[in-house]
Amino acid sequence: MTSQQLPPGLIGARTRRKEDPRLLTGRAQFVDDVVLPGMLEAAVLRSPHPHARISSIDISAALTVPGVFAVLTGHEVRDACATPQPVVWRMIPDQRMTDQYALAVDKVRYVGQPVAVVAATDRYVAEDALGHIEVEYEVLDPVVTLDDALAADAPLLYEDWPDNVSCRQTIPKGDAATAFAEADVVVTETLTYGRQMGAPLETRGAVMSWDPFTDHLECWMSTQSPNLTRDLLGEVLGLPVDHIRVRTPHVGGGFGNKFDFYAEEVLAALLSKRTGRPVKIIEDRLESFVANAHSREQRIEVSVAAKADGTITGMRGTVWAVLGGQLATVGIGPCWLSMALMAGPYDIPNVEATVVGVVTNRSPYGSYRGWGQPKANFAHERIIEKLAHELGLPANDVRRRNLIPADKFPYPSQVFYYDSGNYADCLDMAENAVAERGWRKRCDAASNEGRALGVGYSFHIEISALGPSKIMNQAGLQHSSFDEEVVRIDSAGGVTVRTGLSAMGQGIETALAQVAAHTLGVPLDSVTVLHGDTQTNPFTGYGTGASRGAALGGGALLRASTRLRDKVLRIAGHVLEASPDDLEIADGVISVKGAPGGPSITMRDIGDAAYRRLDGKLPDGEDPTLEERDVLDPDNVAFSYGTTAVLVEVDRETGRVDVLDYLLVHDCGTVINPMIVDGQLHGGATQGIGGALYEEIVYSPEGQPLTTTFMDYLIPTATEIPRFETLHMTTTADHIPGGFKGMGEAGTIGAASAITAAIEDALPDLTLHLARLPVSPPRLLDAIDVATASKENS
Amino acid sequence: MKPAPLDHVRATGLDHAIETLVAAGEDAKILAGGQSLVPLLAMRLAQPTTLVDLGGLRELDYIRDDGDTLEIGAMTRSRTVETSPVVAGAVPLLPAALRYVGHVTIRNRGTIGGSAAHADPAAEVPSVLRALDAELIASGPRGPRTIAARDFFDSFLLTTLEPDEILTAIRIPRQPSGSVVAVEEFARRHGDFALVAVLGAAHIDSSGRIAEVRISIAGAAPTPVRADAAERLLVGRTPTPELVRAAAAAASDATDPGSDIHAPADYRRTLATVLTRRCLTRLVADTERTEAA
């Protein structure tokens, strides 16, 4: 486990982020800052009905509104597009696809589905014009819930399907039937994970400029996946990709939402083509609650078979994915991953897990930080807690008995090979840390005052560093997932890194700069990281998601920088008349090892030797310039992992839960910048707390979304989140240069499991088995009432 | 989220504001801080033809101590009221409640009159006015008139103000010296509207008897609820846990909550009971602590 250990240096340093002065002083540029001469602004008319046929659309009045330049409807969009909106994850070969366009054609299947779009002089006029578009709908019975969709007489969203099921797949490992037949104990649970979404501070947006003479499309977009976007725009619009340039300014939060490819970018491009002017489209906050990818909502049935000592011998599970009215870019992807990772960190020999994708009249289900993993985690951690309760064992004893032992890596799960880990050590470390911090004593002291405090744990794994392109293609991905990085030293010794990854607040500029500076031996300040332009920057497969940026971008850059360093040393050796092997680079100065005060040469001199005054300095046979590129398409993904421990207080009279303390013990291999990793974990955990206690997209029984502002969709704010503490372990990924693993999604994964366990621990006199998220105060009070009544009756 | 076209009129004086309001008819709206109205405009849920902006009316921005009553101009910012020593001395329940209104930045813009006239039953200001038997002064083409708080709040977001009237001031009777106040608010997050809030003020005499008590409840009916029956149970009695529980039950009985996505009606009724009990318990404890000191 040490082959990728790096010497101490900038990799591993808690340096301040290069991008922060810009971001914190309001000087960063976002897509809405892009203003082009003659630019129009667009607004989308959205369906007010969850399920209806479009009888007619009359745009004539809207076209007469002064300042309106164009109005598009569904038939025009379909005719202008070469393909429907793409679905890039196709894990299940016989899945029924929904093949929808950027505007609804003939039928709408969720409130908020785009029906028409207007381009006008500004957004005010465009919104005025929306009020003049007359749409006649034939309203159909809505399919609002999973049960509605599965009912025998359910209305069909797609009339050429036999039912509302888009796909179904079971992946077995071993022999679950025998395991369950021979088990000492079987426990079963049905869990409901609420519908939620990422809510970046900057909503989605695009500026599109279609050159009518050359058919070149200039795009400015707030996207996590600029190269994928370019390819998909090319497919949908029927344009060669060399005609498309995607520029990505700073992304004001991505959270997976901005990995996906949406209707609005296609509409803005078509409006620009129609009007001959650049067109800006910015999703407003109100729209975002129906137009941004929804996520998380699943019903999960999970059972385990176990021996009396807590050894789990088998697991069965079914993920019921509550998809929306059409497939989003990632299709069944996140829900499939919930199924594929349901056994989590546990060494369970026999697993049989199924995913069923069901369409409903809700907004489409797409990417959100964590993808399927928070749900998979909720399934395996809730069932561990229930099994422990059933057997009268501490839950962590059951965890410890079943965690994959360190000597079993690489470990074949249902689908993936987990690369490395020391899971039991991680759990021990968390328990010891909690003991040192005296949480249990705080619980006891509170109990004496009549207050209810509890401690809960969860163990999570996180798939990261996605991934090996050919294997991902075999799994159904219609795109690659390697990463390309370019590093250049200029004529004055400055370093420029070019990346295809997007800067979305996660600190990728700093992380990549640390890798380059560490490897090249130059000061961090001498490295500039350029991102956000497909025309001038390398190709990153997939996008800036799946916890892959630092691991794959960092790994590729490490290799490129290592080769560039070798060239620097060859030139320096020539000038200093020394063997390159005897040289070292520190702080931008190359000198002979162990000879302080001896001859040396600076990186500036090396730049000069490679670009300007070559004679006598650049060795014969060495090309001028100093540039290297590298492509990392790893052999495997990498699995990070961690233990979450939380201390909560429950108000038994109101059902209110306050998270008092929060500890993460985490292992993501080699850490590039602990401050960035901590920040990522804290941010993810905050979203996890939101999903556990606050956030839920609610629909009325008629299919109307009821949470369309931040007054109703409750994101935890600074006052609702605790102080976080993180402790690190390092088990390197030995198939990734540098040993990096990703961790961008980690914080979201284990939060709900630990919090629900802590709530139950706070009420030890009751048997709660919390099975529905979020645990809102009324829901918890109901559960307390039910458990109290059941105790009194028994 | 862009408002529909409208005329924005920045009033130069109260008379100008009333004239504009009369001329615009029923389609006018008054802008008095904008913390509720501006989002409604942006979402086009409100589409007035004229916006009468009171932002320049310094004459409505004042706090005046008249001895027995405190008068606050309708355009006084919530944060100004919250931090005023004059207000804290005369009606301590008001600043105690204002601390729960949104966040500081919201209180910097929002006005006391705007909050009263918006009449959100979950808001704190209307409940304070009900608890303390405030009077509201309105002006219109027919001149000024005074409306008792119990007559002012008509229903959800509705008051008895006429469409051509402007709320100009509120007048609150001074609380007796030695009063204690307590606000027990249950909101999902800090700064959110209350699911239920119980606002209490009491004066407990040196013999330990409750000389005066005022309880109002926000978020549990279409208007702020004054818990009269609970107050009657308590006045003249020495508080005991049993008495407090009985009063809490009576307070809850006075509520008529609705259900929404955040809480069903039953849950709000439970909150009314729990929070009233906690509020009264705090009032008693604070009195004891004050006397001990």
Side-chain angles (χ1 to χ4, degrees):
Chain A
M1 298 280 176
T2 55
S3 65
Q4 296 292 356
Q5 295 284 13
L6 295 168
L10 274 168
I11 292 180
R14 195 173 274 275
T15 57
R16 289 195 175 182
R17 307 198 319 170
K18 292 169 77 76
E19 46 273 77
D20 281 347
R22 233 173 313 150
L23 291 167
L24 297 177
T25 58
R27 300 184 74 83
Q29 299 282 306
F30 298 89
V31 70
D32 199 28
D33 295 317
V34 175
V35 176
L36 302 177
M39 187 178 78
L40 304 176
E41 293 188 305
V44 176
L45 183 71
R46 297 179 181 279
S47 169
H49 302 295
H51 196 193
R53 252 185 278 284
I54 299 171
S55 307
S56 66
I57 303 181
D58 183 353
I59 60 170
S60 54
L63 283 169
T64 65
V65 173
V68 169
F69 279 69
V71 181
L72 296 178
T73 60
H75 286 272
E76 291 167 283
V77 167
R78 185 181 58 187
D79 293 347
C81 288
T83 70
Q85 289 294 98
V87 174
V88 301
W89 272 112
R90 294 171 178 246
M91 285 100 164
I92 304 177
D94 62 351
Q95 178 172 14
R96 296 189 189 102
M97 305 309 286
T98 56
D99 288 343
Q100 296 300 296
Y101 289 84
L103 292 179
V105 181
D106 299 336
K107 194 174 177 187
V108 290
R109 294 180 179 85
Y110 60 94
V111 172
Q113 184 172 0
V115 171
V117 64
V118 173
T121 44
D122 60 47
R123 177 75 181 218
Y124 291 84
V125 175
E127 289 193 23
D128 293 345
L130 296 182
H132 295 278
I133 300 174
E134 300 289 335
V135 186
E136 271 186 51
Y137 292 99
E138 179 197 334
V139 173
L140 303 171
D141 288 338
V143 175
V144 182
T145 65
L146 179 64
D147 289 325
D148 288 352
L150 296 171
D153 56 349
L156 294 178
L157 268 71
Y158 292 87
E159 280 130 38
D160 53 339
W161 296 9
D163 51 30
N164 290 313
V165 175
S166 168
C167 60
R168 183 188 296 267
Q169 186 181 48
T170 300
I171 299 186
K173 169 186 154 179
D175 178 2
T178 303
F180 274 82
E182 294 174 353
D184 294 337
V185 58
V186 169
V187 289
T188 296
E189 188 65 279
T190 300
L191 304 165
T192 305
Y193 213 110
R195 201 171 192 83
Q196 297 161 7
M197 62 181 231
L201 197 57
E202 180 207 29
T203 52
R204 294 181 301 110
V207 176
M208 295 281 175
S209 183
W210 192 306
D211 184 325
F213 303 104
T214 64
D215 276 339
H216 277 68
L217 180 63
E218 295 263 343
C219 319
W220 287 259
M221 265 186 68
S222 185
T223 175
Q224 295 170 237
S225 38
N227 283 286
L228 176 63
T229 294
R230 184 172 67 155
D231 280 318
L232 296 181
L233 280 170
E235 282 179 21
V236 171
L237 299 170
L239 283 178
V241 290
D242 69 291
H243 282 218
I244 303 172
R245 178 181 189 182
V246 177
R247 272 180 276 191
T248 308
H250 272 281
V251 175
F255 308 129
N257 306 139
K258 292 180 187 167
F259 172 88
D260 293 9
F261 181 87
Y262 291 84
E264 287 84 355
E265 36 266 38
V266 173
L267 296 177
L270 293 176
L271 284 169
S272 177
K273 186 181 185 184
R274 169 74 66 91
T275 60
R277 287 167 172 253
V279 174
K280 174 185 280 185
I281 193 161
I282 303 286
E283 171 189 80
D284 69 28
R285 186 59 70 187
L286 199 56
E287 296 179 286
S288 77
F289 287 98
V290 292
N292 199 1
H294 286 189
S295 194
R296 300 280 196 260
E297 188 179 9
Q298 293 178 357
R299 179 187 298 160
I300 309 172
E301 295 155 358
V302 57
S303 320
V304 287
K307 295 184 196 165
D309 66 359
T311 305
I312 299 173
T313 53
M315 174 183 250
R316 277 186 177 140
T318 300
V319 171
W320 297 92
V322 189
L323 303 175
Q326 68 190 57
L327 294 175
T329 316
V330 291
I332 193 66
C335 301
W336 180 90
L337 192 64
S338 304
M339 175 273 290
L341 291 176
M342 198 183 284
Y346 302 112
D347 181 13
I348 305 178
N350 307 292
V351 181
E352 184 181 280
T354 299
V355 60
V356 188
V358 182
V359 293
T360 65
N361 291 124
R362 299 184 170 218
S363 288
Y365 192 124
S367 299
Y368 175 28
R369 193 179 196 178
W371 243 45
Q373 299 174 100
K375 289 80 78 181
N377 189 270
F378 198 54
H380 61 68
E381 292 304 273
R382 288 278 74 200
I383 205 73
I384 284 272
E385 293 279 341
K386 194 167 187 181
L387 175 64
H389 184 265
E390 183 81 15
L391 296 173
L393 296 170
N396 280 347
D397 286 4
V398 178
R399 287 192 177 92
R400 207 170 272 110
R401 183 168 290 282
N402 291 286
L403 284 172
I404 299 165
D407 59 7
K408 273 205 172 184
F409 290 97
Y411 178 85
S413 80
Q414 244 174 308
V415 177
F416 300 100
Y417 272 89
Y418 301 172
D419 59 310
S420 61
N422 286 292
Y423 292 179
D425 289 357
C426 179
L427 182 58
D428 291 348
M429 196 166 157
E431 279 196 321
N432 292 336
V434 164
E436 282 166 20
R437 283 151 188 76
W439 288 9
R440 190 51 71 190
K441 284 183 198 136
R442 285 170 67 185
C443 294
D444 295 342
S447 177
N448 292 335
E449 298 169 11
R451 294 159 61 210
L453 271 63
V455 178
Y457 291 86
S458 69
F459 198 99
H460 81 266
I461 56 168
E462 179 193 13
I463 187 169
S464 81
L466 189 103
S469 294
K470 289 177 182 172
I471 294 174
M472 291 302 143
N473 292 158
Q474 286 161 17
L477 177 61
Q478 308 299 306
H479 201 66
S480 58
S481 44
F482 60 81
D483 193 74
E484 179 190 18
E485 299 284 330
V486 175
V487 56
R488 188 177 184 99
I489 298 175
D490 62 33
S491 60
V495 178
T496 302
V497 173
R498 288 183 185 276
T499 182
L501 298 164
S502 293
M504 50 195 196
Q506 85 279 44
I508 192 69
E509 282 182 50
T510 305
L512 292 179
Q514 284 180 258
V515 171
H518 176 104
T519 312
L520 291 168
V522 298
L524 188 65
D525 287 347
S526 69
V527 182
T528 302
V529 177
L530 299 179
H531 52 82
D533 189 342
T534 57
Q535 188 149 306
T536 55
N537 281 32
F539 189 98
T540 192
Y542 209 64
T544 319
S547 301
R548 61 190 296 284
L552 298 194
L557 182 59
L558 182 76
R559 284 205 304 219
S561 301
T562 302
R563 283 202 302 278
L564 190 56
R565 180 178 195 273
D566 290 344
K567 182 167 180 179
V568 166
L569 291 178
R570 288 197 300 274
I571 299 169
H574 182 71
V575 174
L576 297 175
E577 297 180 342
S579 162
D581 294 341
D582 295 336
L583 299 177
E584 63 183 358
I585 315 180
D587 215 20
V589 178
I590 303 107
S591 56
V592 178
K593 284 180 205 164
S600 68
I601 180 171
T602 65
M603 201 60 89
R604 172 181 277 275
D605 299 328
I606 299 290
D608 195 79
Y611 289 90
R612 300 183 68 195
R613 285 163 279 251
L614 282 55
D615 186 39
K617 297 178 193 160
L618 191 71
D620 290 342
E622 202 76 70
D623 284 335
T625 75
L626 292 162
E627 179 169 294
E628 289 290 339
R629 74 180 266 281
D630 203 295
V631 177
L632 180 55
D633 199 6
D635 295 335
N636 191 7
V637 294
F639 277 85
S640 295
Y641 60 94
T643 305
T644 303
V646 298
L647 178 69
V648 304
E649 176 161 8
V650 177
D651 181 342
R652 302 182 74 119
E653 290 186 310
T654 65
R656 180 191 189 90
V657 177
D658 286 309
V659 181
L660 303 180
D661 243 321
Y662 204 109
L663 175 78
L664 278 149
V665 179
H666 192 256
D667 188 343
C668 57
T670 306
V671 171
I672 296 172
N673 184 330
M675 188 163 64
I676 290 179
V677 169
D678 289 354
Q680 287 285 308
L681 294 173
H682 301 170
T686 300
Q687 289 177 307
I689 291 169
L693 298 174
Y694 296 99
E695 297 177 36
E696 184 171 28
I697 295 168
V698 180
Y699 279 85
S700 76
E702 296 77 30
Q704 291 294 332
L706 300 178
T707 41
T708 57
T709 73
F710 283 139
M711 284 176 68
D712 288 322
Y713 188 75
L714 307 177
I715 289 180
T717 68
T719 49
E720 280 74 49
I721 59 170
R723 195 177 58 89
F724 295 105
E725 189 179 1
T726 44
L727 303 173
H728 293 285
M729 298 172 48
T730 303
T731 310
T732 53
D734 289 331
H735 59 295
I736 308 267
F740 313 124
K741 299 182 178 185
M743 49 76 230
E745 300 162 275
T748 62
I749 299 173
S753 302
I755 289 169
T756 45
I759 294 168
E760 290 169 358
D761 185 63
L763 305 169
D765 54 314
L766 301 176
T767 303
L768 285 177
H769 293 317
L770 297 170
R772 180 170 182 192
L773 297 178
V775 185
S776 67
R779 280 185 189 147
L780 181 54
L781 195 61
D782 273 351
I784 289 172
D785 287 347
V786 168
T788 305
S790 127
K791 186 176 75 169
E792 283 162 3
N793 291 339
S794 63
Chain B
M1 287 181 73
K2 304 293 182 195
L6 52 78
D7 289 327
H8 172 257
V9 180
R10 191 167 169 84
T12 54
L14 182 59
D15 291 344
H16 178 220
I18 293 169
E19 281 163 27
T20 310
L21 202 53
V22 169
E26 303 235 336
D27 285 335
K29 279 275 176 195
I30 297 168
L31 182 63
Q35 298 306 288
S36 299
L37 180 58
V38 169
L40 292 173
L41 294 175
M43 292 189 262
R44 300 196 178 208
L45 294 172
Q47 297 199 16
T49 53
T50 305
L51 207 52
V52 184
D53 184 350
L54 306 188
L57 298 193
R58 300 300 301 272
E59 63 204 89
L60 299 186
D61 179 4
Y62 63 89
I63 295 168
R64 197 169 65 225
D65 188 350
D66 291 339
D68 288 344
T69 58
L70 183 79
E71 187 171 309
I72 304 175
M75 285 301 291
T76 312
R77 307 288 166 179
S78 296
R79 182 68 171 167
T80 306
V81 177
E82 177 193 346
T83 55
S84 158
V86 176
V87 175
V91 286
L93 183 60
L94 184 53
L98 283 172
R99 281 195 274 282
Y100 290 90
V101 176
H103 304 272
V104 170
T105 45
I106 290 172
R107 303 202 287 274
N108 282 338
R109 293 293 303 172
T111 61
I112 202 87
S115 180
H118 189 57
D120 191 316
E124 292 79 3
V125 169
S127 271
V128 173
L129 302 185
R130 274 299 270 128
L132 299 182
D133 290 320
E135 291 175 333
L136 296 99
I137 321 262
S139 273
R142 294 165 302 283
R145 69 178 174 120
T146 301
I147 311 164
R150 70 174 171 278
D151 300 325
F152 183 79
F153 300 104
D154 200 29
S155 183
F156 181 73
L157 302 186
L158 286 178
T159 68
T160 52
L161 282 175
E162 296 297 330
D164 57 5
E165 283 184 317
I166 294 174
L167 178 66
T168 59
I170 58 174
R171 210 177 274 159
I172 310 174
R174 173 181 289 277
Q175 292 183 242
S177 81
S179 286
V180 285
V181 300
V183 177
E184 282 288 334
E185 173 158 326
F186 190 98
R188 288 301 313 277
R189 300 170 302 180
H190 173 76
D192 279 344
F193 273 104
L195 291 189
V196 174
V198 176
L199 296 78
H203 180 232
I204 299 174
D205 67 24
S206 52
S207 68
R209 275 196 316 231
I210 299 173
E212 182 190 283
V213 63
R214 295 163 176 275
I215 304 165
S216 68
I217 306 175
T223 61
V225 171
R226 181 75 180 270
D228 308 287
E231 292 175 8
R232 282 196 300 273
L233 274 180
L234 293 163
V235 170
R237 310 268 305 270
T238 302
T240 61
E242 294 71 33
L243 181 65
V244 164
R245 265 199 294 278
S252 182
D253 286 345
T255 64
D256 178 22
S259 291
D260 64 18
I261 58 166
H262 298 300
D266 282 351
Y267 181 78
R268 285 188 156 88
R269 253 182 233 110
T270 303
L271 279 185
T273 309
V274 171
L275 298 178
T276 303
R277 197 194 73 229
R278 290 178 181 178
C279 179
L280 292 170
T281 306
R282 262 178 62 195
L283 291 174
V284 173
D286 284 357
T287 302
E288 286 166 0
R289 194 161 47 241
T290 312
E291 282 170 359

